Amino acid sequence: MDDNSRFFPGRSPLTRQSAEKVFESVRRDSVTALSGVLAGFWGDIEEQVRLAAIASHDNSAIYDDRIAIRLLNQRALELANRYRDALENAFDRWRNPRPRAVDNKSMSLMSEAQLEIHLSGQQIVELLEHQLMHPLQLLHDRLDALATALGLPRQAPETNPLRPDVPVDAFVKLFTEDDLTPELRRLIFLQLEKRLSKSLDDLYTKTNAALDHGFLPREDPANPQASGMPPPAADWSPDGGLVEPRHPQPQGHAQPGHAPGAGHHAHAPQGGQAPGTPWDYGGGQAAAGGQPSAGGMLSDGNRPLRYRETVHQQLRAWRQSVLRRGSASGSPSDPSSESTAAQPPATGLNGVRVLAPQELLGIATMLQGDDPAPYVRALVGDDSRPLSAVIRDQIVSGSRQLGYDPTQTRFNEVDEDAIDLVGILLQTLATSHATLGRSRALYGRLVPPYLKLALSDDSLFDQRGHPGRKLLEALSEACEGNTGDSPQDQQTLTHAELAVGRVVEEYRDDKAIFEFAAGELREHLDQQKKMRDVAEQRAADTVSGRERLQHARRAVDELLDARLSQRPLTAGIAEFLSGHWRHHLVQTWLREGPSSAQYLSALSIGEGLMQADADAARAEGGRVADRILELQAPLGRCYVSCGLDATAARDSLAKIVSALAFPDQPRGLHPVSIEETPAEPNDAANWGGLRVVGGTESVEHDPALAARMRRLRVGQSLRLIEEDGRETPARVAWVSPLTSRFLIVNRRGQRKLVVTPEELAALVGKGRIVLRSSEAPFDEAMRDMWQQLSQSRVAATS
């Protein structure tokens, strides 16, 4: 097989017939597994609706929910068949690719219900793609290899029939806009997320394992002649799959990558090297064939690989492209120094010694009580080196104190991966969430404890509920945007320091201390959140009240103007309508709403008086008297609404009667001058420097971006870029139902900006506001870290 073969050394391509069998097997198993998502689905939802009905007092809404789910349950078989057909069609499109047809259909608007269903589905797709990012990428690579074996052209990830949006889109298309009530939609998509998350995780693991027998990601194999070493021999299992190369071990020696008491280490890369041979830093061989075991998805014994193992190649490329620059010390902390594969602690070739896991943990324990100033300098920018390089330097210093010769000591690659992951993770969190040097110092103090934690428990990078994650997320929340300007912010930083200090002082080997410290800090943050929620609600009520008052006044003034400028009235009646009646209408609009019976009753007062005035002009005294009697009760409510006492109310009623008593009183039109809305502070202009475009009433903006801004919801995280370059965290606290304006508050819930979607789009376009993901700080840091590693790998291979 030549060097340009897309298959790795030691792997032979399957025949076309074998590839067809594999495809049909994957297709059958996948469709069966994903169709099982709907097994008992509607019955579970119906039970949830029944239980909700017991606790609810909104009988009408619950009745609608129960009717809707009952109808869906009756159509369960039809829905299941349509869902399965959509899954089958996705595989058909992948197996028989065709050029995309040009769609000449005109665009149409979605109803609100349809839009909500599509948005619910899109949220699930984004969540699943994030959760399953690594196995999904591996699956795409292996399907690409299968496509080549089938003689198909290379296809984009968007054609992958097992990507999360295939089952989600098939599910969304089962419904029309009238099928789901709001509450039922929430329950259904929550249940879908739970079921799909587990089904897709299991399916990706199973499918990647199935495709591993003869299929690997499309990558060029490393040239074994370039390194001057033959590639490791690959062994084939009886079922035709590739297994790890066998290296004979001397009796009584531990297997590479495993030392007594170090069971947390994954099977270490060997690359066919002699024991003790130093590896080029970041440039050594990985697992057999230059790949993680089982192609990055399964290790020995079909154990799912840890996150640290799946990014092994990216970490080595990162070390090559980042840490290797400008160093030549030849020490373990030196990015250009050589590291070896995980070997037992022994003196190997050239006297190079590999630090055992227990030895490295001992050094990290010693560093835990040392001055964290070197890490802090790297985090605040006083030291230009990456934090990982600084950690290595400190380990070197610690090894000297324990009597090791740094020039003759090396790390194994498994431990190097842990060092780099901790360094990149803490540096990413400190950069994105800590603005003060005081805040970043907290991350610096946590370097040794988290290094120990990563060396002994790499589930830190896999488990969402890991105690180490909880502490970092609580710490990041406490530090983000915290400038210490207020007593509350100072108090939060103090609590964060206490939590960090507890971990540094008390952590030995029980990770429960992380959870305990995180719980203490979280308790304080929850109290702060309650205060912030109150402040947000007050700010929202203030803006909302002002908007509603202005809207009510304008609506009532327009109504008055339409009537008083077209019908001649006596001065007394016009004075009452433009005074007390106007005030009563505004108050009723605000309290009850413009569609309420109370507002319609208030409108009848003015209509009745204007009709009585017309009757008085025709000298129809009897009809005038009857109307005055009919209006007594409504007029009483009007006077109460205006705050008049009994004497003032009698005087006002006397003026009305006097105006209607004489038919020959002068009458005329009384146009109402509509009050101009008081100019509010223009936050977009004052803070963002926006100016209204000449001849228009809006700022210059991108219409497509403004349309995206209108879809933002409460809770959307933002970053405000001040004129001096400082970044301030903020969030959308309220969206006006009248004007669609956004209330943006700072971390204490205080008003920062009130802007329209167009103004927000202009500020985003200018770079003054940045939209942020609303995911947890640890997840966001892991995503940024993955991007850094992926870019480094591309740079290293280019």
Side-chain angles (χ1 to χ4, degrees):
M1 192 175 298
D2 60 26
D3 290 343
N4 293 324
S5 170
R6 61 178 293 174
F7 294 91
F8 286 90
R11 301 225 177 187
S12 300
L14 296 179
T15 62
R16 177 73 172 267
Q17 183 179 6
S18 299
E20 289 283 2
K21 290 181 180 179
V22 171
F23 170 73
E24 290 301 328
S25 175
V26 169
R27 173 178 180 154
R28 180 179 59 255
D29 293 344
S30 301
V31 172
T32 301
L34 292 176
S35 298
V37 169
L38 293 189
F41 187 90
W42 309 111
D44 289 350
I45 299 297
E46 189 167 13
E47 178 64 13
Q48 292 180 38
V49 171
R50 186 187 70 79
L51 294 175
I54 297 175
S56 175
H57 301 289
D58 190 352
N59 295 328
S60 61
I62 289 297
Y63 177 78
D64 292 341
D65 295 342
R66 300 188 71 170
I67 291 296
I69 188 58
R70 191 171 301 168
L71 293 175
L72 289 173
N73 206 356
Q74 292 171 358
R75 298 168 51 204
L77 181 59
E78 172 215 337
L79 297 176
N81 289 335
R82 286 169 54 194
Y83 179 73
R84 187 183 184 95
D85 290 344
L87 300 177
E88 295 277 8
N89 291 338
F91 278 93
D92 289 338
R93 288 192 296 271
W94 184 87
R95 182 64 183 83
N96 303 293
R98 294 286 185 273
R100 183 176 295 180
V102 178
D103 189 0
N104 294 321
K105 295 180 180 180
S106 60
M107 297 181 66
S108 59
L109 293 174
M110 274 188 180
S111 68
E112 187 70 23
Q114 288 175 315
L115 182 59
E116 290 295 339
I117 291 175
H118 279 267
L119 288 176
S120 299
Q122 187 61 35
Q123 290 174 355
I124 294 178
V125 170
E126 292 174 356
L127 177 65
L128 293 175
E129 286 181 343
H130 177 73
Q131 289 179 348
L132 305 170
M133 174 173 57
H134 306 301
L136 182 59
Q137 177 61 40
L138 179 63
L139 178 63
H140 168 65
D141 291 338
R142 291 188 169 175
L143 284 176
D144 185 40
L146 178 61
T148 297
L150 291 170
L152 301 177
R154 187 166 192 171
Q155 301 189 45
E158 291 76 18
T159 64
N160 183 346
L162 290 176
R163 66 193 190 278
D165 54 339
V166 169
V168 174
D169 188 55
F171 187 81
V172 165
K173 290 181 178 178
L174 297 178
F175 308 106
T176 64
E177 58 181 308
D178 299 325
D179 285 341
L180 303 180
T181 62
E183 177 62 16
L184 187 59
R185 180 181 66 246
R186 185 187 69 82
L187 293 175
I188 283 177
F189 279 94
L190 186 62
Q191 181 81 343
L192 177 69
E193 177 192 330
K194 293 179 180 178
R195 293 195 173 201
L196 267 186
S197 179
K198 183 178 186 305
S199 297
L200 285 177
D201 192 11
D202 295 342
L203 180 60
Y204 289 170
T205 302
K206 181 178 180 182
T207 305
N208 277 318
L211 293 179
D212 181 46
H213 296 292
F215 300 101
L216 273 179
R218 183 197 299 259
E219 289 188 29
D220 293 332
N223 187 354
Q225 301 303 323
S227 61
M229 296 181 294
D235 296 328
W236 288 85
S237 63
D239 61 356
L242 184 70
V243 297
E244 295 293 339
R246 292 187 292 270
H247 295 270
Q249 299 294 327
Q251 291 294 328
H253 284 261
Q255 292 292 327
H258 182 83
H264 59 276
H265 285 286
H267 180 74
Q270 301 181 38
Q273 284 189 290
T277 302
W279 292 37
D280 181 29
Y281 192 98
Q285 300 292 328
Q291 294 295 318
S293 332
M297 189 61 202
L298 296 173
S299 68
D300 298 335
N302 289 334
R303 174 182 62 80
L305 288 183
R306 295 292 193 184
Y307 178 85
R308 198 169 77 190
E309 298 166 314
T310 63
V311 299
H312 174 72
Q313 296 296 326
Q314 284 81 359
L315 283 168
R316 186 189 309 135
W318 182 84
R319 287 195 286 268
Q320 225 176 1
S321 62
V322 177
L323 291 186
R324 196 169 182 179
R325 300 169 190 161
S327 64
S329 67
S331 69
S333 65
D334 182 355
S336 67
S337 67
E338 297 170 339
S339 64
T340 186
Q343 301 286 351
T347 301
L349 193 64
N350 299 326
V352 174
R353 188 178 190 282
V354 182
L355 282 175
Q358 298 93 328
E359 295 170 327
L360 190 54
L361 280 171
I363 295 174
T365 300
M366 182 177 63
L367 294 177
Q368 190 170 330
D370 288 353
D371 183 8
Y375 315 119
V376 176
R377 284 196 295 270
L379 293 176
V380 299
D382 294 341
D383 190 336
S384 60
R385 294 175 301 164
L387 181 59
S388 299
V390 177
I391 295 175
R392 283 180 171 82
D393 271 350
Q394 296 306 303
I395 293 175
V396 170
S397 300
S399 67
R400 285 196 186 97
Q401 297 178 37
L402 295 179
Y404 300 123
D405 182 1
T407 62
Q408 297 298 319
T409 306
R410 297 289 180 267
F411 304 117
N412 65 56
E413 281 198 309
V414 174
D415 292 335
E416 281 201 291
D417 289 349
I419 293 171
D420 292 333
L421 283 174
V422 169
I424 299 173
L425 174 66
L426 293 178
Q427 193 153 27
T428 301
L429 285 171
T431 302
S432 59
H433 290 83
T435 54
L436 289 180
R438 180 182 175 186
S439 302
R440 295 193 177 185
L442 298 176
Y443 290 94
R445 294 177 63 190
L446 286 175
V447 168
Y450 272 89
L451 177 59
K452 288 175 56 179
L453 187 62
L455 288 170
S456 58
D457 180 16
D458 58 0
S459 63
L460 167 68
F461 304 103
D462 297 278
Q463 296 179 2
R464 288 183 175 272
H466 194 283
R469 282 197 180 202
K470 292 180 180 179
L471 178 58
L472 283 180
E473 290 186 349
L475 177 62
S476 298
E477 185 177 332
C479 293
E480 184 177 23
N482 191 337
T483 57
D485 294 337
S486 67
Q488 295 86 350
D489 287 347
Q490 289 285 349
Q491 187 181 18
T492 299
L493 288 176
T494 300
H495 277 80
E497 290 170 339
L498 292 174
V500 171
R502 179 180 291 277
V503 170
V504 172
E505 293 171 6
E506 301 181 17
Y507 175 55
R508 296 297 176 264
D509 55 9
D510 185 5
K511 61 184 180 183
I513 190 63
F514 289 89
E515 187 158 17
F516 184 71
E520 289 183 332
L521 180 55
R522 177 60 62 187
E523 183 178 355
H524 171 75
L525 292 175
D526 289 342
Q527 294 175 357
Q528 295 290 326
K529 183 178 181 299
K530 292 178 182 178
M531 297 172 60
R532 184 187 68 210
D533 290 343
V534 171
E536 283 184 7
Q537 188 61 48
R538 287 175 179 171
D541 290 344
T542 299
V543 178
S544 174
R546 187 180 296 113
E547 275 194 358
R548 295 182 71 247
L549 177 60
Q550 293 172 355
H551 192 83
R553 284 176 174 173
R554 178 170 291 276
V556 170
D557 286 347
E558 290 174 354
L559 181 147
L560 273 174
D561 184 61
R563 284 161 172 72
L564 271 64
S565 62
Q566 296 177 6
R567 300 174 65 170
L569 298 170
T570 60
I573 298 298
E575 179 183 353
F576 171 82
L577 294 179
S578 59
H580 297 318
W581 187 54
R582 175 181 178 275
H583 180 82
H584 181 48
L585 285 179
V586 170
Q587 293 300 314
T588 308
W589 193 102
L590 292 173
R591 291 169 182 165
E592 310 296 341
S595 301
S596 63
Q598 292 88 338
Y599 186 75
L600 297 178
S601 175
L603 283 177
S604 67
I605 298 175
E607 297 293 340
L609 286 177
M610 285 185 283
Q611 186 59 48
D613 189 81
D615 293 339
R618 293 190 296 270
E620 297 177 356
R623 300 185 63 179
V624 171
D626 292 340
R627 290 193 183 277
I628 293 296
L629 292 176
E630 291 174 1
L631 291 174
Q632 270 191 329
L635 281 171
R637 291 193 293 271
C638 175
Y639 291 140
V640 171
S641 173
C642 294
L644 273 66
D645 57 16
T647 303
R650 283 194 297 270
D651 291 343
S652 176
L653 183 59
K655 291 181 180 179
I656 292 174
V657 172
S658 175
L660 298 176
F662 304 99
D664 56 349
Q665 281 207 15
R667 290 175 170 80
L669 301 179
H670 302 271
V672 176
S673 59
I674 299 177
E675 295 183 6
E676 292 293 331
T677 302
E680 288 190 52
N682 191 328
D683 294 337
N686 297 337
W687 180 82
L690 299 184
R691 295 294 180 266
V692 174
V693 180
T696 69
E697 294 184 356
S698 64
V699 296
E700 186 176 1
H701 65 279
D702 180 0
L705 186 56
R708 286 179 53 201
M709 297 301 104
R710 291 189 187 94
R711 294 196 292 270
L712 296 183
R713 296 292 183 263
V714 171
Q716 172 67 49
S717 297
L718 309 168
R719 280 195 186 277
L720 308 184
I721 313 300
E722 305 292 345
E723 291 183 353
D724 57 2
R726 288 185 301 106
E727 295 187 4
T728 303
R731 64 191 295 270
V732 176
W734 174 76
V735 182
S736 169
L738 297 176
T739 63
S740 298
R741 293 197 304 170
F742 298 103
L743 169 62
I744 299 174
V745 298
N746 61 15
R747 70 185 311 273
R748 294 192 298 274
Q750 298 171 344
R751 167 178 166 160
K752 186 70 178 179
L753 297 172
V754 177
V755 291
T756 65
E758 293 77 16
E759 291 170 341
L760 183 57
L763 291 171
V764 171
K766 287 183 61 178
R768 295 298 305 275
I769 292 181
V770 178
L771 300 183
R772 292 186 55 210
S773 170
S774 297
E775 58 190 343
F778 196 99
D779 291 334
E780 184 180 359
M782 293 284 282
R783 175 172 50 79
D784 293 343
M785 181 166 63
W786 173 258
Q787 292 174 354
Q788 290 183 46
L789 296 177
S790 300
Q791 292 168 0
S792 298
R793 188 177 187 188
V794 171
T797 56
S798 61

